[in-house]
C-alpha cells in the first residue's frame, strides 16, 4: 500500500524520533459504528486520520472509510470489522482504509463492543496508520536491543539523581546488579572525591542546562572499592513531555586504560622534553657555579618546586666515601618557585654537614637516586641544626629526591629536588629522570671543574712568571695593573716588566702572547726572561726585538707582540721599538695626549721583517701609558673607539698614578673582563744637571 500521508505530507525515516508522548508519536483515531454500520461517534483524531469533519461523516455508512475490493464471498470491510467486534468482544487487525481525498493506506484497527444501559450496542474503533505503528515498534525494538547489547553504559536518572533505568554494561562497570541500582542515589553507587562537582554538573543538566559531552570524570565504584576508574561521560536532559519522566539520560565509557596510557605517554613526552631542554641549557659555559645553577633552573617548574646543587668537600680526590663519617658539602646553586620560607631554606646556607645515617648517606652508599618523604624521621636523620629542620618543615616541601653527581667514576656532588604537597610525590619514573638529568649535569660539571683547574694552573703559572716587584728608579714613577680574563675566556699571555740599565736608564716593556691557557703562560715566561737577559747587553730597542724574534721562532712561539721603551733621564729622551703592539700614549703636562703610532712593526715569531727604533723627547712629568689590547678591544666595538676612550680617560684631570690606573680600568674594562689586560703608567722626570753624564 502507498505510504504517502493524506495531503502530501512527507513520511519520516524508520528511526525518526521527536519529542512528545506516544499518542503524539502515533496519532490514534477514535470513532463509533452503530448496529446499522453507520458512523455514530467521530473523535478529533478520526478527523486527522481520515480527513472528514464530523458533519460530513456522522450517520453515514462506515464503508466510506474503507477501500473497495474485499475478498470474494465476504462482506465489506466495515461489516467484517463490526461483526468481529460484536461476536468476539475485542479484535485487532489491519485493513485498507481510504482518506477523504481518495488516497488509501494500510491501517491498524482495534475494536470492542460497548452496550449502553438498555440501548443498542456500539462498536468503538481505535485506528492508527500502520507505518506509524511499525516505526514506533522498530524504534522500541532498537532501544531494547541497545540497552541489552550496547557495550557503552546507558543510564536514566530522575531529577533527584536516583537510578531509574540502566543497562548491563553500566552495571558491570559499577560492580552491582541492575536491580541493586534502581532507586539508589548516585552517591550511593559512586565514591567521588571532587567536592560535589560531578553532582552539580548533573543537576545543571537536569534543570535544562546544556548537554555535557565527553567529560572525563575520576571515580571509584562501591562495587569495586579497590579500583579507580576514569570515565568519559555524556549527559542530556530528558524531554519532560506530558506523560514522560523528567531527569537525565547519560552514556558512560570506561576509559581508564586509555587515559592511563595517555597519561603515561604524556608524562614520557614531558620527561623527554625536559631532558632535551636540559641538554641545551646545562653546560653553556665552563664555569662550575653557572653550570650548577643551570641544572637547578632547568628542573623548575616542570619537574620540581625547588632544588639545590652541592659539591662534596673531599679531603682529597682519592678519598673513599665512608658511611660512618659525616659528609661535608658546599652549596653552589639553589632556587625555588615557592614563597618564603622556602627561599631562605635553599639559599640561606653555604656549607652543609650531613650526619651518618642521613638520606644523603643512603644515596651515596648505593650510588643511586632516592626519594624520601619530608617527615620527622627524615628531618631527624638528615638535618642537624634545629632551626634549619624547623625551616624545612615550614617550607611547604613534602618530598625530596636526591641524586648523585657522578662523573668518570667520582662523586662530584649531589642534586636535591623538592616538591610541595600540592604536587604528586616523586614516582619511580621521576627517580629515573632525575638520575639521567644529574648524570648529564655531572659530566658538564666535571668538564667545568677540570677546565677551572687548568685555568687555575695557567693563572698560577702566569702570576709566578710576572715580576713580583718591579725595578725602581728616582726618575721613573710606575703604577702597574694586571687583570686576568674571566673564567670563561681562559688565562692569556700578557706580561710586563721594568728593568734598570747602566747610567740611570730605565726599560719599560709590555708584551702579549697570542692564545690562552698554560701554553700561552709558558711562552710569556720565556719571552719575559729572554727580554730581561737581552736588555742587560744594552742593545738598541730594534736590535733587541730582532734577537727576541729569533728566540720566539726557535721556541715555536708563532705570534706575540712586544713594546720596548728605553728612557734616559739625563737627556729626557726615549727610544722606542714595537713588534706589532698597540701604540704607547703620552700625556703631556699641558693635558694633551699624543699617540706614538709611527713605530709599529710585525709581531714576534713571524720573521723576515726588520724592526726600527724611533726617538722622542719627553717633558718633565710626562706620563707614558703602555697597555695590552684587552684594554681597548671589546666585542662589537671598533678598536679605534677603544683607543679614543683610553685617550679621553688619560687626559682627564691629573691624579696620582695609582688612582689614575684604577680609574682607567674601572671605566674601560667590561665586567667580567673578556681578555687579560695589562696597564703600565710611568711618570718620567729628568736627572739634575750635576748628575747628568
Amino acid at each position: 500500500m502507498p505510504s504517502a500521508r493524506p495531503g502530501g505530507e512527507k513520511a519520516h525515516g524508520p528511526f525518526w524520533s521527536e519529542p512528545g508522548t506516544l499518542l503524539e508519536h502515533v496519532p490514534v483515531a477514535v470513532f463509533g459504528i452503530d448496529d446499522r454500520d453507520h458512523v455514530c461517534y467521530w473523535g478529533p483524531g478520526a478527523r486527522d486520520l481520515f480527513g472528514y469533519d464530523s458533519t460530513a461523516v456522522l450517520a453515514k455508512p462506515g464503508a466510506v472509510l474503507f477501500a473497495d475490493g474485499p475478498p470474494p464471498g465476504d462482506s465489506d470491510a466495515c461489516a467484517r470489522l463490526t461483526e468481529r467486534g460484536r461476536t468476539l468482544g475485542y479484535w485487532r487487525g489491519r485493513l485498507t482504509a481510504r482518506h477523504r481525498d481518495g488516497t488509501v493506506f494500510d491501517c491498524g484497527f482495534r475494536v470492542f463492543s460497548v452496550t449502553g444501559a438498555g440501548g443498542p450496542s456500539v462498536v468503538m474503533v481505535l485506528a492508527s496508520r500502520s507505518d506509524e505503528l511499525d516505526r514506533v515498534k522498530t524504534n522500541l525494538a532498537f532501544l531494547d536491543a541497545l540497552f541489552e547489547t550496547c557495550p557503552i553504559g546507558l543510564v536514566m536518572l530522575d531529577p533527584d539523581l536516583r537510578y531509574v533505568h540502566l543497562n548491563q554494561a553500566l552495571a558491570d562497570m559499577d560492580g552491582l546488579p541492575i536491580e541493586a541500582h534502581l532507586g539508589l542515589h548516585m552517591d550511593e553507587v559512586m565514591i567521588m572525591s571532587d567536592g560535589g562537582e560531578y553532582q552539580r554538573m548533573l543537576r545543571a543538566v537536569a534543570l535544562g542546562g546544556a548537554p555535557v559531552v565527553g567529560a572525563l570524570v575520576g571515580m571509584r565504584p562501591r562495587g569495586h572499592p579497590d579500583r579507580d576508574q576514569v570515565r568519559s561521560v555524556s549527559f542530556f536532559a530528558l524531554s519532560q513531555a506530558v506523560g514522560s519522566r523528567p531527569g537525565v539520560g547519560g552514556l558512560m565509557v570506561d576509559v581508564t586504560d586509555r587515559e592511563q596510557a595517555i597519561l603515561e605517554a604524556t608524562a614520557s613526552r614531558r620527561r623527554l622534553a625536559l631532558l632535551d631542554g636540559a641538554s641545551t641549557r646545562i653546560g653553556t659555559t665552563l664555569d662550575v657555579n653557572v653550570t650548577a645553577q643551570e641544572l637547578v633552573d632547568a628542573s623548575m617548574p616542570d619537574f620540581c618546586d625547588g632544588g639545590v646543587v652541592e659539591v662534596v668537600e673531599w679531603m682529597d680526590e682519592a678519598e673513599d666515601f665512608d658511611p660512618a663519617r659525616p659528609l661535608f658539602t658546599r652549596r653552589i646553586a639553589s632556587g625555588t618557585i615557592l614563597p618564603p620560607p622556602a627561599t631562605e631554606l635553599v639559599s640561606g646556607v653555604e656549607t652543609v654537614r650531613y650526619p651518618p645515617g642521613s638520606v644523603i648517606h643512603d644515596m651515596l652508599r648505593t650510588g643511586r637516586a632516592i626519594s624520601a618523604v619530608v617527615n620527622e624521621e627524615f628531618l631527624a636523620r638528615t638535618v642537624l641544626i634545629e632551626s634549619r629542620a624547623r625551616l624545612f618543615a615550614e617550607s611547604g616541601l613534602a618530598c625530596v629526591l636526591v641524586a648523585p653527581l657522578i662523573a668518570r667514576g667520582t662523586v662530584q656532588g649531589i642534586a636535591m629536588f623538592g616538591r610541595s604537597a600540592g604536587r604528586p610525590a616523586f614516582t619511580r619514573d621521576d627517580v629515573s629522570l632525575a638520575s639521567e638529568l644529574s648524570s648529564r649535569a655531572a659530566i658538564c660539571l666535571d668538564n667545568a671543574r677540570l677546565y677551572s683547574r687548568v685555568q687555575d694552573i695557567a693563572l698560577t703559572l702566569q702570576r709566578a712568571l710576572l715580576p713580583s716587584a718591579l725595578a725602581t728608579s728616582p726618575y721613573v714613577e710606575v703604577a702597574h695593573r694586571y687583570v686576568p680574563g674571566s673564567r670563561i675566556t681562559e688565562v692569556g699571555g700578557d706580561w710586563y716588566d721594568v728593568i734598570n740599565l747602566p747610567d740611570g736608564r730605565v726599560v719599560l716593556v709590555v708584551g702579549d702572547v697570542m692564545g690562552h691557557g698554560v701554553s700561552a703562560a709558558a711562552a710569556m715566561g720565556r719571552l719575559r726572561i729572554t727580554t730581561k737577559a737581552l736588555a742587560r747587553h744594552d742593545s738598541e730597542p730594534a736590535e733587541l726585538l730582532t734577537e727576541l724574534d729569533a728566540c720566539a721562532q726557535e721556541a715555536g712561539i708563532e705570534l706575540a707582540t712586544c713594546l720596548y721603551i728605553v728612557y734616559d733621564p739625563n737627556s729626557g729622551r726615549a727610544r722606542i721599538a714595537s713588534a706589532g703592539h698597540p701604540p704607547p700614549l703620552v700625556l703631556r703636562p699641558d693635558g694633551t695626549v699624543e699617540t706614538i703610532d709611527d713605530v709599529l712593526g710585525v709581531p714576534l715569531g713571524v720573521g723576515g721583517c726588520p724592526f726600527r727604533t724611533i726617538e722622542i723627547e719627553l717633558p718633565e712629568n710626562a706620563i707614558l701609558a703602555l697597555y695590552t689590547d684587552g684594554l681597548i678591544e671589546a666585542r662589537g666595538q671598533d678598536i679605534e673607539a677603544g683607543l679614543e676612550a683610553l685617550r679621553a680617560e688619560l687626559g682627564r684631570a691629573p691624579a696620582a698614578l695609582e688612582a689614575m690606573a684604577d680609574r682607567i680600568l674601572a671605566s674601560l674594562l667590561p665586567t667580567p673582563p673578556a681578555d687579560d689586560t695589562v696597564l703600565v703608567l710611568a711618570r718620567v722626570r729628568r736627572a739634575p744637571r750635576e748628575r747628568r753624564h
Side-chain angles (χ1 to χ4, degrees):
M1 290 293 174
S3 61
R5 287 175 175 268
E9 295 180 24
K10 185 178 178 181
H12 293 285
F15 298 121
W16 175 69
S17 180
E18 64 270 88
T21 64
L22 183 60
L23 290 179
E24 290 175 317
H25 284 246
V26 186
V28 177
V30 181
F31 59 94
I33 304 293
D34 60 17
D35 54 2
R36 295 182 299 122
D37 292 338
H38 285 196
V39 178
C40 62
Y41 173 76
W42 194 249
R47 180 190 59 205
D48 296 336
L49 184 62
F50 293 98
Y52 292 96
D53 290 331
S54 59
T55 56
V57 74
L58 286 174
K60 297 295 193 296
V64 299
L65 305 177
F66 298 89
D68 295 331
D74 202 352
S75 59
D76 63 39
C78 181
R80 289 201 315 276
L81 183 120
T82 56
E83 187 271 335
R84 292 178 182 179
R86 292 187 180 97
T87 58
L88 299 177
Y90 173 80
W91 177 83
R92 67 178 182 177
R94 295 191 180 193
L95 297 172
T96 303
R98 183 187 301 277
H99 192 268
R100 184 177 185 179
D101 63 7
T103 58
V104 296
F105 55 94
D106 194 30
C107 191
F109 293 91
R110 284 174 171 76
V111 297
F112 51 92
S113 178
V114 178
T115 303
S121 66
V122 175
V123 175
M124 295 301 299
V125 182
L126 306 179
S128 296
R129 289 179 61 96
S130 294
D131 56 355
E132 297 286 358
L133 288 172
D134 290 343
R135 177 178 58 78
V136 171
K137 288 179 180 179
T138 301
N139 285 350
L140 291 175
F142 170 76
L143 291 176
D144 286 342
L146 182 66
F147 259 79
E148 289 180 6
T149 63
C150 181
I152 297 174
L154 304 174
V155 64
M156 290 174 57
L157 303 172
D158 67 14
D160 294 327
L161 305 185
R162 296 185 180 275
Y163 287 85
V164 175
H165 193 25
L166 70 153
N167 67 347
Q168 188 60 46
L170 181 58
D172 293 340
M173 287 187 213
D174 293 343
L176 294 173
I178 293 177
E179 296 76 14
H181 285 75
L182 302 180
L184 294 181
H185 192 271
M186 187 200 72
D187 60 10
E188 295 179 278
V189 177
M190 295 294 165
I191 302 173
M192 309 296 295
S193 57
D194 61 354
E197 182 62 29
Y198 184 54
Q199 289 195 43
R200 287 191 291 272
M201 177 181 71
L202 293 184
R203 292 189 187 281
V205 173
L207 293 174
V212 173
V213 179
L216 295 178
V217 179
M219 59 183 67
R220 177 173 292 185
R222 295 190 185 276
H224 298 299
D226 59 342
R227 186 185 308 169
D228 289 322
Q229 293 182 1
V230 178
R231 295 184 185 179
S232 174
V233 300
S234 299
F235 287 101
F236 51 89
L238 298 179
S239 65
Q240 300 189 32
V242 177
S244 66
R245 291 191 176 198
V248 179
L251 301 86
M252 297 187 181
V253 181
D254 187 347
V255 294
T256 305
D257 293 339
R258 185 196 75 187
E259 289 301 313
Q260 187 65 31
I262 292 175
L263 291 174
E264 291 177 357
T266 302
S268 296
R269 287 194 295 269
R270 188 181 298 114
R271 288 192 292 271
L272 290 174
L274 180 60
L275 286 174
D276 183 61
S279 298
T280 60
R281 295 175 62 183
I282 300 173
T284 59
T285 73
L286 288 172
D287 185 284
V288 173
N289 292 345
V290 172
T291 301
Q293 190 61 49
E294 288 171 342
L295 170 58
V296 173
D297 294 341
S299 66
M300 297 186 303
D302 292 340
F303 183 67
C304 65
D305 297 317
V308 298
V309 174
E310 300 170 2
V311 292
V312 178
E313 296 288 302
W314 301 113
M315 297 297 293
D316 58 68
E317 290 190 359
E319 180 182 1
D320 293 328
F321 168 67
D322 185 352
R325 297 174 58 185
L327 184 73
F328 294 90
T329 64
R330 179 167 51 87
R331 188 165 295 177
I332 60 174
S334 62
T336 181
I337 60 174
L338 298 178
T343 49
E344 183 182 352
L345 173 69
V346 299
S347 61
V349 66
E350 182 175 346
T351 303
V352 184
R353 177 175 181 265
Y354 294 105
S358 71
V359 171
I360 310 302
H361 282 69
D362 293 345
M363 179 267 297
L364 291 178
R365 185 168 52 251
T366 61
R368 298 177 180 177
I370 60 174
S371 61
V373 177
V374 177
N375 51 24
E376 291 184 3
E377 180 190 0
F378 168 82
L379 296 175
R381 291 176 56 197
T382 307
V383 186
L384 283 176
I385 303 174
E386 183 177 349
S387 60
R388 299 291 299 174
R390 184 167 57 253
L391 200 62
F392 212 135
E394 297 171 355
S395 66
L397 294 174
C399 58
V400 296
L401 196 163
V402 189
L405 299 172
I406 301 176
R408 299 176 180 90
T410 302
V411 176
Q412 309 292 333
I414 62 173
M416 186 181 301
F417 310 98
R419 284 182 181 175
S420 64
R423 298 179 62 163
F426 289 110
T427 64
R428 184 177 303 173
D429 290 334
D430 291 327
V431 173
S432 299
L433 174 61
S435 299
E436 180 66 23
L437 194 63
S438 299
S439 177
R440 297 187 183 190
I443 296 297
C444 296
L445 281 170
D446 195 50
N447 289 339
R449 181 185 64 85
L450 293 176
Y451 176 80
S452 297
R453 177 177 297 178
V454 172
Q455 203 173 23
D456 289 341
I457 293 172
L459 183 59
T460 300
L461 176 62
Q462 186 180 43
R463 285 177 171 165
L465 294 174
L466 287 173
S468 57
L470 297 179
T472 59
S473 168
Y475 310 115
V476 180
E477 177 189 358
V478 175
H480 57 94
R481 298 287 187 273
Y482 168 71
V483 181
S486 70
R487 302 188 72 84
I488 299 174
T489 58
E490 293 191 278
V491 173
D494 294 17
W495 60 280
Y496 61 97
D497 209 342
V498 177
I499 307 167
N500 286 332
L501 295 180
D503 303 327
R505 290 173 298 159
V506 177
V507 172
L508 302 171
V509 60
V510 173
D512 184 5
V513 176
M514 299 299 105
H516 296 86
V518 174
S519 59
M524 174 273 292
R526 283 188 176 187
L527 290 180
R528 176 179 169 267
I529 294 171
T530 303
T531 300
K532 197 159 191 172
L534 291 174
R536 303 295 184 190
H537 295 287
D538 200 11
S539 304
E540 276 291 302
E543 295 174 359
L544 183 141
L545 290 183
T546 301
E547 290 292 332
L548 198 60
D549 179 52
C551 293
Q553 294 181 60
E554 291 174 3
I557 300 172
E558 296 182 353
L559 206 62
T561 65
C562 182
L563 176 64
Y564 189 86
I565 300 177
V566 179
Y567 173 67
D568 186 352
N570 298 303
S571 63
R573 304 185 71 82
R575 298 179 66 77
I576 306 172
S578 175
H581 200 83
L585 303 179
V586 177
L587 173 62
R588 298 186 178 277
D590 62 2
T592 60
V593 178
E594 180 183 359
T595 302
I596 312 301
D597 56 2
D598 56 351
V599 70
L600 297 179
V602 298
L604 302 175
V606 174
C609 297
F611 300 96
R612 69 188 186 92
T613 301
I614 66 168
E615 185 173 279
I616 63 172
E617 184 173 354
L618 297 175
E620 183 81 9
N621 288 320
I623 297 176
L624 275 167
L626 293 75
Y627 52 92
T628 56
D629 57 4
L631 188 63
I632 59 174
E633 284 186 348
R635 186 183 300 274
Q637 174 184 283
D638 186 75
I639 193 170
E640 291 298 329
L643 184 58
E644 188 58 36
L646 176 57
R647 288 167 55 89
E649 282 296 326
L650 194 63
R652 287 178 57 184
L657 285 188
E658 297 292 338
M660 186 182 293
D662 290 337
R663 186 187 70 205
I664 290 173
L665 293 180
S667 175
L668 299 185
L669 283 186
T671 303
D675 196 5
D676 287 17
T677 298
V678 163
L679 174 64
V680 176
L681 299 179
R683 190 192 307 272
V684 298
R685 298 183 181 89
R686 295 193 178 186
R689 288 184 178 273
E690 62 273 12
R691 298 183 63 88
R692 297 178 186 174
H693 300 281

